[in-house]
Amino acid sequence: MPGQNANVLRFKGSNFMRQRLILSILTGKSIYISDIRTKDTEPGLREYEVNLLRLLDKLMNGMWLEVSETGTSFSFTPGSLLGGQIDHECCKLRGIGYYLEVIFALAPFCKKPISITLRGVTNNQCDPSVDSFKHGGLSVLKQFIVVDPGIDFKINKRGLEPDGGGEITFTCPSLKLKPIQVKEMGKIKKIRGIAFASKVSPSMANRFIEAAKGEMLKFIPDVFITSDHLKGQCAGKSPGFGGTLVAETTKEIIFTAEKNSLPKERQVPEDLGKQAAWLLMEEISRGGLVDSSFQGLALIYMAFGQKDVSQMLFGPLSIYGIEMMRHIIAFLNVMFKLEPYFEEDENELKKGTNKVLVSGVGIGFNKFS
């Protein structure tokens, strides 16, 4: 049994399980995770985690998995990462963004081009929405490729909590990641966004737009937010509204922020619009060349890229980004150099900085080895 093998990497708890699975697959190393929610009233793996393991099985050939009777531990040995055409029904307890984090991390390293259709909840409270991945996630990926060979991301249907009904399609050809050395964020040149209303009055989206634009126009004149009123099958199975705002800099760096209505709660769209605008301004103030939601994704691309130095400017490191660095050390023994980055402005030098210059050398991952 892999769990008894000395070469198996052992972890405890359910935290950062996706990071461990991603790195296990890319390095080919077996893992054993124990003590999964043993102190909870309902111990063991959750339904959405089991669903994720089923999705990984579709991506690979020869995956080996053994779960204990109580579900509080499991052994995982990765197979060969193939890709191909995949259709998957996601668990409605988590958003499609929960699964997209794994797909975005693995897609460039699949042996065959990947075309995946995911169905479930497109917008919820705890996972980045499909709009965030369409703009922020793709922006990170495109920084690491020389020429875009036809990466495509389509939102076919929206589905809100609790019943879902959304659908997206993500297509990614075989890619070769390049090392990058980028430090300039540039200035914010425009704000774009989309406000949606599913199975509710179209005025909800319009009111969200007015409130969000009212906040953003105080700082920048180029603000344009589109309205997406969904009806019938395209609206999913649950009512709701919300929106995603996207800021783009002169260096084509993307920042995102979003706010959605809670299921079965009365909320005012003006409040959500203002909150989304404030969240976007907070994200912009963090700075860096990557949205804080996608720091872990950028670190994976840096670590598994060509055998050359990559440098990328981050804003304040997120907890998820810090844990990704720790896991990369555990799996690859690759360490990143972190140093505070000071702007050329003298006043900035006196105040200190919240930006971090992250440097690392890729391992030269070969998807055919």
Side-chain angles (χ1 to χ4, degrees):
M1 175 179 166
Q4 297 170 340
N5 192 325
N7 297 324
V8 171
L9 290 170
R10 296 166 177 269
F11 301 98
K12 288 188 177 182
S14 60
N15 285 349
F16 310 106
M17 187 180 292
R18 284 172 295 171
Q19 291 187 4
R20 294 163 182 172
L21 289 168
I22 289 165
L23 292 169
S24 169
I25 292 166
L26 292 178
T27 58
K29 294 180 179 178
S30 301
I31 58 172
Y32 177 70
I33 301 180
S34 59
D35 294 346
I36 299 172
R37 301 187 183 90
T38 48
K39 295 181 181 178
D40 283 18
T41 51
E42 294 181 17
L45 289 167
R46 296 285 182 260
E47 184 184 339
Y48 55 84
E49 291 166 337
V50 175
N51 189 281
L52 176 64
L53 291 167
R54 290 198 188 104
L55 173 59
L56 293 176
D57 190 32
K58 293 177 183 178
L59 277 170
M60 288 184 289
N61 181 24
M63 184 186 100
W64 189 91
L65 176 71
E66 185 174 332
V67 184
S68 66
E69 288 184 15
T70 57
T72 55
S73 64
F74 70 89
S75 301
F76 177 85
T77 300
S80 177
L81 188 59
L82 293 179
Q85 196 144 358
I86 296 159
D87 198 278
H88 187 71
E89 186 75 34
C90 302
C91 178
K92 296 180 183 67
L93 297 174
R94 295 297 290 262
I96 290 176
Y98 175 83
Y99 302 86
L100 279 175
E101 182 189 326
V102 177
I103 297 299
F104 266 67
L106 298 178
F109 307 107
C110 290
K111 290 182 180 177
K112 293 189 279 186
I114 185 170
S115 177
I116 184 165
T117 299
L118 298 175
R119 297 183 183 86
V121 176
T122 56
N123 302 75
N124 69 356
Q125 302 298 318
C126 60
D127 299 300
S129 70
V130 292
D131 298 282
S132 289
F133 274 94
K134 184 176 181 177
H135 298 286
L138 281 184
S139 167
V140 175
L141 176 56
K142 287 178 179 179
Q143 287 187 66
F144 285 87
I145 58 179
V146 181
V147 179
D148 182 357
I151 300 170
D152 191 28
F153 192 108
K154 288 182 181 175
I155 302 170
N156 305 322
K157 301 177 187 176
R158 284 192 189 275
L160 304 179
E161 292 182 297
D163 298 321
E167 179 183 295
I168 67 101
T169 304
F170 174 54
T171 305
C172 182
S174 292
L175 299 175
K176 189 171 185 181
L177 302 185
K178 65 175 183 180
I180 62 170
Q181 277 124 21
V182 282
K183 301 177 186 177
E184 289 186 44
M185 169 185 153
K187 303 290 184 183
I188 301 296
K189 67 175 181 180
K190 63 183 180 182
I191 306 287
R192 296 291 181 263
I194 184 166
F196 64 87
S198 295
K199 295 187 182 295
V200 294
S201 168
S203 65
M204 294 296 193
N206 296 332
R207 288 163 63 187
F208 179 100
I209 291 170
E210 288 302 315
K213 279 184 74 174
E215 294 297 309
M216 303 310 302
L217 286 170
K218 296 174 184 175
F219 302 95
I220 185 171
D222 191 358
V223 180
F224 185 74
I225 306 171
T226 57
S227 172
D228 186 14
H229 181 234
L230 302 149
K231 295 183 287 187
Q233 290 186 339
C234 292
K237 299 175 182 177
S238 296
F241 59 91
T244 301
L245 302 179
V246 180
E248 185 177 339
T249 76
T250 51
K251 298 289 184 180
E252 298 186 349
I253 305 301
I254 299 289
F255 299 105
T256 65
E258 60 198 8
K259 203 69 184 172
N260 307 310
S261 61
L262 290 163
K264 297 179 182 178
E265 284 192 29
R266 289 189 177 182
Q267 290 178 292
V268 182
E270 285 84 357
D271 290 346
L272 293 187
K274 288 180 181 178
Q275 288 167 21
W278 298 337
L279 286 170
L280 183 64
M281 285 186 271
E282 182 184 343
E283 192 62 51
I284 292 168
S285 72
R286 292 170 184 265
L289 297 169
V290 57
D291 192 298
S292 58
S293 302
F294 303 108
Q295 287 183 2
L297 200 58
L299 290 166
I300 287 174
Y301 296 156
M302 289 172 73
F304 287 90
Q306 296 176 30
K307 291 183 180 179
D308 202 347
V309 177
S310 284
Q311 277 191 330
M312 199 170 193
L313 184 64
F314 283 41
L317 291 173
S318 64
I319 294 171
Y320 204 77
I322 292 167
E323 283 299 326
M324 180 61 82
M325 289 185 189
R326 290 173 176 162
H327 280 111
I328 287 172
I329 293 171
F331 279 90
L332 292 174
N333 201 25
V334 169
M335 298 187 73
F336 291 95
K337 181 183 179 184
L338 308 178
E339 48 192 330
Y341 183 77
F342 296 97
E343 307 284 352
E344 293 181 4
D345 184 4
E346 293 180 2
N347 296 326
E348 186 75 22
L349 196 64
K350 291 173 185 174
K351 289 189 295 184
T353 183
N354 62 353
K355 297 182 180 68
V356 182
L357 186 63
V358 180
S359 309
V361 180
I363 63 166
F365 179 84
N366 182 1
K367 64 184 78 174
F368 298 107
S369 62

